[in-house]
Every structure is written in C-alpha cells, then in structure tokens.
Amino acid sequence: MKRMKLSFRWYGEEDKVSLEYIRQIPGMHTVVTAVYDVPPGEVWKQSSIDALKRKIEDAGLHFEVVESIPVHEDIKLGKPKRDRYIENYCENIRRAAAAGVKCICYNFMPVFDWTRTQLDHVLEDGSTSLVYYQEQVDQVNPLESDSDLTLPGWDSSYTREELKQVVSEYQAMTEEDLWANLKYFLERIIPVAAQCDVNMAIHEDDPCWSIFGLPRIITCEENLDRFLNLVDDPHNGITLCTGSLGCSCRNNVVKMAEKYAAMGRIHFVHMRNVKVLKDGFEERAHLSECGSLDMYEIMKSLYDHGFSGYIRPDHGRMIWGETGRPGYGLYDRALGATYLNGLWEAIEKGERRK
Ligand code: DNO
C-alpha cells in the first residue's frame, strides 16, 4: 500500500526542539534537515552529512530529505561563476545521495526566501503567528538603508551594501532571464539527480508574487507546468507548499495537488493553512476551519493519486508559552503532524470500506 511518509524539519544541534522529542510524535518517519555551517554555493563535507545521518538514526528516525541545498545567487543571476557553483551543487547531490537522502528541497527565489511582515502577530486565541500585510511590504525599499522591517528570509550573511548590489542586479533582470537561468541549472543538475536517484523538489515562491520589484516565477499552475517541462524527468519535481500557493486566491491548491500527484511530480509536501485577507494573509493552525484552505481535500487529492512521498507539517503558531524559532516550535507543529495523520487514516479507511 502506498503511503505518505511523515517528516519534521530540524535545524540541527542549535534547534531547541530535540530529535528525542521529534521521535515521540506519532507516526514520525523522517527528519528534514541540512548542513548549516557551509556558505551557499560551497560543498558540504561528507563527514558532516554522515554525522547528521548517524545522529538521526541513533534517535530512531530516518534521514531522507534535505531542506535545503541553497542555490547560489550567481546561478540565479546567470553570472560567469555559475558553472563552478553548479558543479558544487551536483557534488552536494551526490554526497547527500551517498548518505541515503532521497529528496532535496530548494528554491529559486531571488535573494529573499519566505517573507513576512511580523513574526509574532497575536491571534484571537492568544497564540502568535507569522503574517504578511502587503501595505507594510510596500513601505519597504530594500535599497534604502534605514528600513527596520523584519524580513525572515533575509540572508544575514550579506552586508547592507552587498544586499543593495545584488537586489539592483535582479531589478535589471526580467522573468524570462530568470527562466533561462533556471533551465540552465536544471539541465545540469537533473541528470546527476537521476543518476543518484534523488528527487529534486523545488519550493514555490513564498508569497507567490513579486516583492520589491524582483522577478519571481514559481508562483502558479501555469508556471509550474512550464517548470516541469523545462526538464521533463520525474526527478525534476516540486515541493507542494500549500501555504505558499494558497496565499493567493488565483491558485486552486486542491486541483494542483491532484494534477501534480497524478503526474508523479510531487516529491515533498509542506502542509500549512493560511487565512487569505484582502491584502495579505495570516498563518493559522493546520485545521481546515482555521484558515482558507481545505486540508482534507488537499490530502484526499494526494491519497487518490497514489502520493507516497514525504510530507511535513509546515509553520506552526507559538502556543502554550513556547518560545523559539518563529514558525518552527514543537507544539503546534506536533499538533499539525497529528492532524495530518488523522486525515490520512480517515481517508485510507474510508476508501477501504467502499
Ligand atoms: C520556510 C521554508 C522555506 C524553504 C525554502 C526551500 O519555512 O519552507 O525556507 O525551506 O524555500 O528552499
């Protein structure tokens, strides 16, 4: 019987959430993590990867998913040094595969990974969550030096001057240029992934629209179709991130889950609920009635189309007095995991009775 594999993100030794706690979440299978002490673009030490594997397996879990191997900005910008960084990327795929990794999540967002305007917005029930209000983003110009907005995706390894430089390089770039650079990258990494039998799973842009005038392309069904066709190989797949796609009403996440699962191109799922607002969104508890997404229908689409990849609860709220990395505490993500287990069991047994 095909079955999803439940997973949980872990930020390594620095993470306040221990592997021992993760292991106690019912049904937990795989730890999702990365080597964090190497700058983007460089090769990970095999010994670091193997040490992660050992630690995770000693805790009684599997290490089958990497999130993320970051893509160096020179690759996204199509700069002359990209070939060296792509070669390093391929080497990281080989090394992760040698340690038993089956799926690698990455993104192709210029400079900023996920972006929010506040990380501790108080919801009605007293929990806090991450929110995005467009009006506040519109007030920020990353080229100005005195903005005090918290941008969690902000790469702190850049100085303000370097950031300005890289942002202005992207501002001179069109979406078509970014597509061309993505194609160039995929044509070189996917054959290596295929050889190692590792599934590459691109993460959608979060939020799924352009910010600060920078191009963003992994945003909607039409573009995902185009992405999958750039290199039409099953190892070239996606991380279906329900919250990243679902924060825009244009995206029908249930339909996308159905379509891409049927094609066998969803390798990893980030399950998260969001409440879509007129001009932005708030992250909410996983339960369908807490947000705008129908989590049952999404899970049902995955189930019906034989999804057997990795799935993880995505960002959780902060509840029960927990403090820690925004979106990545233990309690609410563990509730999310339990809810995902419940949905899957109910769907599976319901189907068997028919
Ligand atoms: C946010 C995450 C993203 C994701 C990257 C993948 O919580 O889902 O940061 O890891 O975009 O490269």
Side-chain angles (χ1 to χ4, degrees):
M1 183 70 204
K2 286 199 163 182
R3 194 168 207 292
M4 58 98 172
K5 290 182 271 300
L6 190 65
S7 63
F8 207 78
R9 193 172 195 184
W10 181 62
Y11 281 94
E13 294 301 328
E14 306 289 291
D15 200 322
K16 278 176 88 175
V17 182
S18 69
L19 287 173
E20 288 64 36
Y21 285 6
I22 296 173
R23 162 86 160 114
Q24 290 168 354
I25 300 169
M28 192 48 66
H29 181 275
T30 295
V31 170
V32 175
T33 191
V35 171
Y36 290 106
D37 60 0
V38 177
E42 298 308 323
V43 177
W44 293 359
K45 279 199 207 127
Q46 189 71 51
S47 58
S48 309
I49 304 172
D50 294 344
L52 275 176
K53 178 186 172 70
R54 223 170 308 117
K55 242 171 247 154
I56 291 167
E57 291 182 350
D58 284 351
L61 294 159
H62 298 86
F63 174 37
E64 295 178 6
V65 182
V66 164
E67 179 178 349
S68 316
I69 303 182
V71 178
H72 193 278
E73 298 300 332
D74 281 13
I75 298 177
K76 292 180 253 175
L77 285 162
K79 292 176 95 172
K81 272 204 264 157
R82 69 176 154 179
D83 289 328
R84 172 177 164 257
Y85 292 122
I86 293 175
E87 190 32 60
N88 288 352
Y89 205 96
C90 292
E91 184 55 24
N92 280 334
I93 295 175
R94 290 187 202 100
R95 291 185 180 195
V101 167
K102 310 256 183 293
C103 174
I104 296 173
C105 172
Y106 68 102
N107 73 75
F108 216 75
M109 285 176 252
V111 200
F112 305 101
D113 192 347
W114 53 303
T115 302
R116 301 289 182 272
T117 50
Q118 195 187 340
L119 304 177
D120 57 356
H121 173 77
V122 182
L123 297 170
E124 243 174 48
D125 61 4
S127 60
T128 63
S129 84
L130 292 76
V131 296
Y132 179 103
Y133 300 134
Q134 189 63 46
E135 183 188 40
Q136 292 176 4
V137 175
D138 292 343
Q139 286 161 17
V140 175
N141 178 352
L143 296 184
E144 273 169 18
S145 40
D146 56 352
S147 120
D148 59 354
L149 185 77
T150 317
L151 290 169
W154 200 287
D155 184 339
S156 52
S157 64
Y158 285 114
T159 63
R160 173 68 65 175
E161 278 315 304
E162 286 166 343
L163 191 71
K164 274 192 195 175
Q165 168 66 25
V166 70
V167 166
S168 53
E169 285 180 58
Y170 276 112
Q171 284 178 335
M173 225 171 114
T174 64
E175 285 190 2
E176 285 308 312
D177 296 330
L178 192 59
W179 277 112
N181 296 341
L182 177 54
K183 183 166 194 283
Y184 185 95
F185 173 64
L186 292 174
E187 281 170 345
R188 283 152 187 83
I189 65 154
I190 297 300
V192 175
Q195 229 169 33
C196 303
D197 202 19
V198 165
N199 288 323
M200 298 302 300
I202 200 167
H203 189 285
E204 292 85 19
D205 302 346
D206 180 8
C208 53
W209 52 75
S210 163
I211 50 164
F212 308 132
L214 309 187
R216 282 192 164 207
I217 53 179
I218 308 299
T219 51
C220 60
E221 186 176 341
E222 194 188 339
N223 289 15
L224 282 171
D225 288 346
R226 180 171 173 183
F227 166 79
L228 294 173
N229 277 320
L230 289 178
V231 174
D232 193 13
D233 181 304
H235 298 91
N236 179 32
I238 65 172
T239 296
L240 184 87
C241 176
T242 62
S244 301
L245 290 168
C247 62
S248 162
C249 297
R250 299 184 296 158
N251 286 328
N252 179 337
V253 185
V254 175
K255 182 171 165 235
M256 289 160 104
E258 211 170 81
K259 173 171 170 180
Y260 300 121
M263 290 165 70
R265 300 296 276 273
I266 302 180
H267 301 313
F268 191 19
V269 178
H270 288 180
M271 280 292 252
R272 162 160 65 86
N273 204 352
V274 285
K275 176 81 188 164
V276 180
L277 310 172
K278 217 173 103 253
D279 217 5
F281 60 92
E282 293 174 354
E283 296 192 1
R284 293 288 178 87
H286 286 74
L287 188 69
S288 299
E289 67 180 48
C290 296
S292 304
L293 300 181
D294 190 326
M295 305 295 267
Y296 168 83
E297 290 295 346
I298 295 170
M299 197 62 126
K300 178 91 169 63
S301 300
L302 294 171
Y303 177 92
D304 285 348
H305 294 91
F307 176 73
S308 60
Y310 303 93
I311 188 162
R312 71 166 177 81
D314 204 1
H315 306 168
R317 302 158 303 145
M318 281 299 168
I319 60 171
W320 305 337
E322 188 178 18
T323 55
R325 187 186 287 269
Y328 286 97
L330 171 65
Y331 303 147
D332 200 38
R333 283 191 302 152
L335 290 180
T338 293
Y339 173 62
L340 301 184
N341 278 330
L343 286 177
W344 190 272
E345 180 175 340
I347 293 167
E348 195 171 48
K349 292 194 171 156
E351 289 302 310
R352 267 197 243 140
R353 277 198 191 168
K354 276 186 187 164

